[in-house]
Structures are given as structure tokens and as C-alpha cells.
Amino acid sequence: MSTLLPHLSPLTAFGLLLLLGVVAGQLIFRTARLPGVTSYLLGGFLIGPHALDLLGAPLIQSTQPVMQLALGLALFEVGRRIDLAWLWRERHILAASLASSALLGGVLGLYLTGLGWPASQALLLASLGMGSAPAVLLSILRDIRAEGLLTERLLALTGLGNLAGFACFALALGWLQASQGASPATVFSQAALPLLAALLAGLVLGVLTLHLSKWLGYRQYVARQALLLGGLTLLTGLGGELALLPALAALVYGLTVRNLDRHYAVTEPAPLNWTPILLIALFIFTGSQFDWRLLPQAGLVAAGYIALRLLCQWLPLVLLARRSGLHGRRTLWLALAQTPMSSGAPGLLLLPWLGSLLLPAGSMALAITVLTLTELAGPSLTQLALRQAGEASD
């Protein structure tokens, strides 16, 4: 069918993606009774180019700006729920996140290097596994109405893990480009500059949003929601116009408005009204990227990657169990809840300003395979972990 739709506008393509994906996802949900996130992921796969091919790869890729916005919304919401003052008091969470990121970089880097990847490429691929999927987490928390000690720590670890992943990605990218003979100016412009630009853009826009929200007044709820959506859309657009990481900018944007908001102008608990709909679209889009033909090529390596990733997330929690107040199985539940890998991770390798990056096909195959396995199995594991911890209210 995709051959009958060669040239559609991005808006039309997005409408078709959402319409067909929701129908396919609901059919799967009602038939197999899988978690909603998993159903939409499989629905996206079903309509995508690697299954029924109702929508071809070019049409689906044309919707990528909207998907970047959806990912930015998810990271913004995670950032907006992290209280840095609380995190400083609970420094064991910060220590666990730093230790986990260091272990992930070291262990996964050594694992991939041992399998033949150059060290710079191995670190680049290791950085993609540091962040858990914020969109999956937010959807599951909403579906099962989870709240409690473990849930708050899970949100903090998700935000911190994504921050560490972006920083490590920039470091590995600079190393990779230097090893390919790039000039120092090129290394700075395509590695350090995007990271710094994203941090600055998120911070500056966050401060500006707080001042404008205070000026609008507390009663102008819809106007303040529009202000936030406008800011996130601006950051997403700048990711294409300028060399920056839009997802990182959105996370910093959320952290800024949460922690500098002295007048409670922005941080009311209600999320942006469009967030659940755009997250469904993101799951459908992500599912359409799954390519089962890659499993024979990268399946065993991906399984080892996933097992080591879980170990690196669990071990620091065990070592800090006394200080965290999480004992025994609760540390395992917290590690399992972080299973889904961020759907934006492989997308980092496809940013427009990285078009000159030379990576072997096996790198993208491994990233997509790990994403496929963790995002399909992850929602069920996250739900199981939160229910076993006694923090689900559904």
C-alpha cells in the first residue's frame, strides 16, 4: 500500500500514522491483553515497512519532527518532576546514578570492544543504554497510577540517566571523530557545542518561561500550557536549525522550571494536555522502526548488552541499599523498572548535523535490536516491578 502513497505532506503522514497505529494497537490490546505501550509498539510494527507496509519508511520518517516533540515532552515532564533540593538530600540516588552510568560505560564498552568494535564506537553505543525511556515510564505511571518511594526514585534515575547518556554520547562522538581524522574545530562543533548549546537553551528558555508565566498570572492556565508547548516546539525546531540536542534541551527545560519556580507558576502536577496523545504517536513511530530481520545479525550481542545493562543498573542500588531505604527485592524491582531503553537513543545517530558520521551498519543494527527487545519486554517488566513494590493503584 505504501507504494500508492509516494508523496504526502508530513501532516498527512502523521495523521495516517496515528489513525492506523491506534486501530492496530487497540486490536492487539483487545486480543492479547498486553500493556497499552506494548500494544501500540506492535501496532506500529504491524503497519510499518517491515510488516504490512501500509506506510513506507520515507512517509514515516517525514513525521520525525513531531516525534522529536513527543520525546521532548516526555523528557520535559520527567525533568519537571525532579526536585534537585530533594535529590541533594537523597544523595545516594545521585551516587547510584553516577555509579550506574560509569559501570555502563565501562562494562558495555569493554563488552563491545571485546567483540571487535573500536573503543570510540563501543563507548558511543554504550552511551545509548544509559537512559531509560521517559515516554514508557510516564505512560505506565499514568496507566497504573503508581506513586511512592520507589516511583520517585525511578523518575530521578530516569532523568539523571538521560543526562549522563547525552554527556557520554557527546564525549564518545568527539573521540570517534578525532579518531577519523576530524579537525579540532569539527570535533568541538559536532560534539561539545551541541551539548553546551542544549544546556544553555534549556536553561535560558526555562528562566524566560518562568518570568512570562508569572506575568500571565496563575489563572491563565491554558495560556501557560500554550507557553510551555511553544517553548518545547521551539527547542525541537532548533534541533534541526542549529547543532544542539533537542531532547537534552527539553530535559533541562523541565528541570529549570521545576527548580527555579519560586512562585509555582509552572509546576502544577498536571502534565501538558497533549502529552498522552503524542506519546501514543511516539510508541507507534518507534514500533514502525523495528526490523526483525536484524535479530539473526545482532540478537545474541543485543541479549548480552541488555543483561549487562540490567546488572550495571542493579549493582549500585544493592551497594547503596542501606542509605536508600530500599532493601532486598526492591532494589531488583527498581532496576527492572528501568529496562525500556529510550526510543530517542538510536535517533541520536540520525541527527541531521551528524550526516557525515561514519559508522558501520552493525552499530545501527545493534541499537535498533536492543531498542526493540527492551521496549517490547520493558513495559511489562516496569509494570511488574511497580506492582511488586506495592506502588500501583489500578
Side-chain angles (χ1 to χ4, degrees):
M1 176 178 171
S2 65
T3 57
L4 302 177
L5 305 170
H7 302 294
L8 293 178
S9 70
L11 187 60
T12 306
F14 173 72
L16 278 174
L17 178 76
L18 189 58
L19 181 64
L20 295 175
V22 166
V23 172
Q26 280 296 309
L27 287 174
I28 293 170
F29 175 77
R30 298 182 185 195
T31 302
R33 305 305 299 176
L34 295 171
V37 173
T38 307
S39 298
Y40 287 124
L41 287 165
L42 289 174
F45 167 72
L46 192 64
I47 69 172
H50 305 299
L52 297 179
D53 196 23
L54 299 181
L55 293 177
L59 285 179
I60 292 174
Q61 289 302 318
S62 71
T63 69
Q64 199 168 59
V66 182
M67 302 311 155
Q68 289 283 355
L69 175 61
L71 179 62
L73 278 166
L75 282 163
F76 172 80
E77 291 294 350
V78 168
R80 195 165 65 160
R81 295 180 65 171
I82 297 176
D83 184 347
L84 293 180
W86 170 83
L87 190 60
W88 182 248
R89 293 192 299 271
E90 305 286 338
R91 286 189 286 275
H92 54 273
I93 295 296
L94 181 59
S97 178
L98 291 173
S100 176
S101 297
L103 274 175
L104 280 165
V107 172
L108 289 178
L110 289 173
Y111 169 67
L112 295 173
T113 301
L115 293 175
W117 264 273
S120 56
Q121 294 177 10
L123 183 60
L124 193 72
L125 290 167
S127 72
L128 302 182
M130 291 181 181
S132 298
V136 173
L137 174 60
L138 289 173
S139 293
I140 289 174
L141 294 183
R142 185 183 66 251
D143 290 345
I144 65 176
R145 300 194 297 277
E147 57 182 17
L149 184 68
L150 189 140
T151 299
E152 291 305 314
R153 282 154 174 72
L154 177 58
L155 283 165
L157 287 171
T158 299
L160 293 171
N162 277 277
L163 279 173
F166 286 123
C168 186
F169 178 84
L171 174 65
L173 179 60
W175 184 9
L176 175 60
Q177 292 187 321
S179 68
Q180 293 175 349
S183 67
T186 300
V187 172
F188 177 78
S189 65
Q190 294 195 355
L193 186 59
L195 182 69
L196 296 174
L199 293 172
L200 183 61
L203 178 61
V204 170
L205 189 59
V207 172
L208 178 61
T209 297
L210 288 175
H211 285 293
L212 290 174
S213 296
K214 182 181 177 182
W215 172 72
L216 287 172
Y218 185 77
R219 294 184 179 181
Q220 295 297 322
Y221 177 78
V222 175
R224 287 184 289 113
Q225 292 266 304
L227 187 67
L228 290 174
L229 183 59
L232 286 165
T233 305
L234 175 62
L235 291 176
T236 302
L238 288 175
E241 302 292 339
L242 303 174
L244 60 78
L245 300 170
L248 173 59
L251 178 58
V252 174
Y253 186 32
L255 282 166
T256 301
V257 299
R258 171 65 176 86
N259 291 280
L260 297 182
D261 192 359
R262 304 301 181 190
H263 301 279
Y264 301 99
V266 179
T267 53
E268 59 272 333
L272 292 172
N273 293 331
W274 284 17
T275 299
I277 297 173
L278 287 178
L279 292 188
I280 289 175
L282 180 61
F283 299 141
I284 296 168
F285 176 87
T286 303
S288 71
Q289 309 302 302
F290 296 164
D291 188 351
W292 296 105
R293 296 172 299 179
L294 298 176
L295 282 176
Q297 174 186 351
L300 288 177
V301 178
Y305 183 109
I306 294 167
L308 290 172
R309 180 173 178 262
L310 176 60
L311 178 64
C312 292
Q313 290 171 326
W314 173 65
L315 188 57
L317 296 173
V318 173
L319 296 177
L320 294 167
R322 284 187 179 179
R323 294 185 178 183
S324 68
L326 299 175
H327 302 285
R329 292 184 180 180
R330 288 177 69 83
T331 59
L332 178 60
W333 301 143
L334 184 52
L336 276 179
Q338 298 176 66
T339 299
M341 190 173 82
S342 176
S343 55
L348 287 172
L349 300 177
L350 296 175
L351 288 170
W353 44 271
L354 294 181
S356 60
L357 185 64
L358 299 176
L359 281 173
S363 297
M364 184 57 71
L366 176 60
I368 293 295
T369 303
V370 171
L371 172 67
T372 301
L373 296 177
T374 60
E375 289 243 322
L376 286 178
S380 296
L381 292 175
T382 301
Q383 283 194 7
L384 172 67
L386 292 170
R387 287 197 169 103
Q388 290 297 319
E391 300 199 356
S393 303
D394 62 342

